[in-house]
């Protein structure tokens, strides 16, 4: 091997080491530590459609929900329920606007509910945030506190439009939520 080839090989090796060294000195983006999320929500539901297909009843709802606690703001979305004689499932998704631990923006809030004679089990997920909620993710559960029926609940519903401009609620639920959230860089 001649001197010229050795010099080129050494330069390449030192250049590669310099790049690797520079990468190690860059600041590392770190996510916040996971934090608990808890509070309550009260919704106002409007039936968009209801259809029967054999033993299944499919109900589509538009929902506005007021959140208090870790999530402080309003959620607007839709839910699709499939109900049979003794069991049902519900899937909902929409956009939350407000604050989470004091940070403001919007995020997608989705959930899945299983309905049985033993009660309702609901799991929620948040992600796709904007503004100060960019990088937010989380998940948790809801527990039913009360079903308030048609109209607006007599207490706890303090969104500005109660009853909503489209009329009274077809149904209304108050829930407690618990879970965990985390802000990524």
């Amino acid at each position: 091997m001649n001197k010229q080839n050795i010099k080129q090989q050494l330069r390449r090796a030192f250049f590669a080491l310099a790049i690797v060294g520079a990468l190690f000195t860059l600041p590392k983006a770190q996510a916040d530590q996971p934090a608990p999320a808890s509070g309550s929500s009260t919704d106002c539901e409007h039936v968009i459609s209801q259809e029967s297909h054999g033993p299944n009843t499919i109900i589509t709802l538009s929902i506005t929900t007021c959140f208090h606690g870790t999530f402080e703001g309003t959620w607007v979305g839709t839910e699709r329920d499939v109900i049979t004689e003794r069991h049902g499932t519900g899937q909902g998704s929409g956009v939350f606007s407000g604050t989470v631990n004091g940070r403001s923006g919007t995020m997608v809030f989705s959930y899945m509910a299983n309905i049985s004679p033993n009660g309702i089990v609901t799991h929620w997920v948040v992600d796709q945030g904007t503004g100060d909620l960019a990088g937010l993710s989380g998940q948790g559960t809801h527990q039913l506190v009360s079903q308030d029926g048609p109209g607006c609940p007599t207490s706890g519903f303090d969104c500005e439009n109660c009853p909503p401009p489209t009329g009274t609620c077809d149904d209304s639920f108050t829930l407690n939520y618990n879970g965990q959230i985390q802000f990524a860089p």
Side-chain angles (χ1 to χ4, degrees):
M1 200 180 244
N2 67 30
K3 267 187 173 180
Q4 185 65 25
N5 285 342
I6 292 172
K7 285 182 182 179
Q8 285 178 344
Q9 296 241 347
L10 285 173
R11 270 188 248 154
R12 286 184 191 138
F14 285 127
F15 183 71
L17 285 172
I19 290 174
V20 170
L23 290 174
F24 282 121
T25 61
L26 290 175
K28 293 185 177 35
Q30 295 192 0
D32 290 353
Q33 291 295 315
S38 63
S40 65
S41 66
T42 302
D43 72 9
C44 179
E45 302 181 359
H46 294 280
V47 175
I48 296 172
S49 66
Q50 182 171 329
E51 303 171 7
S52 291
H53 298 279
N56 298 325
T57 300
I58 300 169
I59 304 169
T60 304
L61 306 158
S62 68
I63 303 174
T64 301
T65 303
C66 300
F67 277 87
H68 299 290
T70 304
F71 305 142
E72 195 68 45
T74 305
W75 178 89
V76 177
T78 58
E79 178 177 306
R80 182 177 185 268
D81 299 336
V82 178
I83 310 294
T84 62
E85 187 177 311
R86 297 185 41 83
H87 183 74
T89 59
Q91 296 178 4
S93 188
V95 176
F96 170 89
S97 300
T99 62
V100 176
N101 278 353
R103 299 182 188 192
S104 63
T106 66
M107 66 181 176
V108 173
F109 188 108
S110 303
Y111 57 90
M112 171 75 98
N114 286 305
I115 306 158
S116 72
N118 299 330
I120 300 173
V121 177
T122 305
H123 296 277
W124 56 263
V125 175
V126 296
D127 59 7
Q128 301 178 39
T130 65
D132 291 340
L133 301 183
L136 173 68
S137 63
Q139 61 182 348
T141 60
H142 284 112
Q143 293 81 36
L144 179 65
V145 175
S146 66
Q147 181 176 359
D148 300 304
C152 288
T154 55
S155 65
F157 199 92
D158 54 351
C159 282
E160 293 177 25
N161 294 323
C162 187
T166 56
T168 61
C169 308
D170 293 328
D171 211 348
S172 181
F173 293 87
T174 299
L175 305 165
N176 287 335
Y177 65 89
N178 288 291
Q180 194 170 42
I181 58 169
Q182 184 173 18
F183 285 93

